[in-house]
Amino acid sequence: MAEIKFWFSPGACSLAPHVLLHEIGVAFEAVTTNVFDGAQLTAAFARINPKQRVPVLALDGQVITEVPAIATAIADLAPERHLMGRTPLDRAKIYEWMSWLSGTLHGQGFGALWRPERFSDDPDVFDSIRAKGRTIIADCFDAIEGKLSGPYSTGSAFTAADPYLLVFYRWGNGIGFDLPATHPHYTDFARALVQRASVAAAMIAEGIADQALTDDPATRSTQGSIS
Ligand SMILES: N[C@@H](CCC(=O)N[C@@H](CS)C(=O)NCC(=O)O)C(=O)O
């Protein structure tokens, strides 16, 4: 087995591959790089990932970035776990989920909401960009609600797409969406997922288990993260 090193920020999109590492039960070194804390985005980290983002996975020193690529690499470490599904169609569907979650919901939606400066140099239009981000997020949540109908996003078993969907469920509640009230399929999916041992283990490791999922809107504000 390769030597595995993994950089994450608590509650960030890195939670998804972090769950996958726990799911396959390998030994790995986890490095907390809190992206809320600029001081942790060091020059040393920039040498590892010049994009200055988490997650980062290193396999025997070979650095891999981007959630879909990292998820694929982790799945390939334990092919018997079928984290990329059991059929070519499953695999395509999982890439469909991950590409859309990464590019549209995360990059466009949460990117515009939390990082409007990525879309314009003019601070006067930031509020408008943030509003557009929130609309994109709402549209994505509605699409997710329409696609989910059980405990797994693809096929009849847990796959790499599932913990990625959990990341955005948590963020959505953190930014004031009332998903338990408005999106019952997505909520049932998320509640089932946090019961899974690998998900619980990753959330404990990230120090966010106490923020798991709650019906109390007052505590949901702590669930947001950074894009
Ligand atoms: N497209 C990247 C996005 C990675 C990303 O934006 N990560 C966030 C945390 S969720 C981050 O590191 N943000 C720090 C920053 O933008 O300064 C992926 O899928 O891995």
Side-chain angles (χ1 to χ4, degrees), residues 90-176:
D90 282 351
R91 194 174 177 88
K93 290 287 177 192
I94 292 162
Y95 279 121
E96 182 181 55
W97 270 121
M98 292 198 297
S99 302
W100 179 70
L101 292 172
S102 171
T104 303
L105 179 50
H106 188 177
Q108 293 180 17
F110 282 96
L113 180 66
W114 283 332
R115 303 286 197 182
E117 70 279 5
R118 287 184 186 155
F119 297 85
S120 174
D121 294 325
D122 179 1
D124 288 346
V125 302
F126 284 179
D127 281 347
S128 164
I129 292 170
R130 288 189 188 100
K132 187 67 183 172
R134 198 170 273 276
T135 301
I136 293 168
I137 293 165
D139 289 347
C140 288
F141 285 163
D142 289 349
I144 291 169
E145 180 68 11
K147 282 164 73 79
L148 294 179
S149 58
Y152 307 115
S153 63
T154 313
S156 57
F158 175 87
T159 66
D162 296 340
Y164 207 12
L165 280 156
L166 178 64
V167 166
F168 303 108
Y169 184 86
R170 298 183 67 258
W171 290 4
N173 285 321
I175 60 167

Side-chain angles (χ1 to χ4, degrees), residues 12-13 35 53-55 66-67 102 106 115 118 171 226-227:
C13 58
V35 293
R53 307 275 179 93
V54 293
E66 303 295 322
V67 170
S102 171
H106 188 177
R115 303 286 197 182
R118 287 184 186 155
W171 290 4
I226 195 162
S227 186

